[in-house]
Amino acid sequence: MAQAGQASFDEAFVDFAVAVYQEDGRWAVAPLPPHVAENLELFIAAVRQQLSEGPTLGLLGLGDEYFIALRLVGQEERLFISERAAAEEDAVAAQVLEHLGLSRDQDGEPAQGPAGDDAIFADLGLDPLELQLACEQLLDERALR
């Protein structure tokens, strides 16, 4: 449910929702229904349903504004969000920050930039610093529009 300042959920806002998994030693992708982006628990549950020989990943792209990455290894849930300021306007982003134990900066202003497990893809060859830089570039590109 959206809180004050947050827009109500609109499936048109979902650019992509996918589960990424391993099958027969190869990576595969399965689309998820857009409504899983309405709530973090729905998203996690949908990704958990995908069987995998290794880690299972979930990716949400929302409104060409930010993305959420989820990595499941057994019962462990690792989360990353590319722009924490999205929580001011989007309920699922706020739920990610809450799940991570993060909130506003101490001065009451919304924090900006990525948050969460920036090593979420490190074993797959994406260095945490490169992931942080990619998120900063996305934010810079959005600011230029």
Side-chain angles (χ1 to χ4, degrees), residues 2-6 88:
Q3 294 185 10
Q6 294 175 340
E88 293 296 310

Side-chain angles (χ1 to χ4, degrees), residues 2-3 7 10 12 23 27 41 45 47 56-57 60-61 86 110 117 130 144:
Q3 294 185 10
D10 181 357
E23 183 175 61
W27 287 99
E41 293 306 317
V47 175
T56 306
L57 307 173
L60 284 178
D117 185 356
E130 291 173 351
L144 293 174

Side-chain angles (χ1 to χ4, degrees), residues 39-41 43-44 60 62 66-70 78-84 87 90-103 115-117:
N39 178 289
L40 180 60
E41 293 306 317
F43 176 54
I44 292 171
L60 284 178
L62 298 147
Y66 72 100
F67 68 88
I68 296 169
L70 167 69
R78 297 168 59 189
L79 280 166
F80 180 84
I81 185 167
S82 66
E83 177 51 68
R84 65 193 307 179
D90 189 57
V92 74
Q95 292 166 4
V96 169
L97 291 185
E98 183 178 321
H99 191 84
L100 292 169
L102 302 172
S103 61
D117 185 356

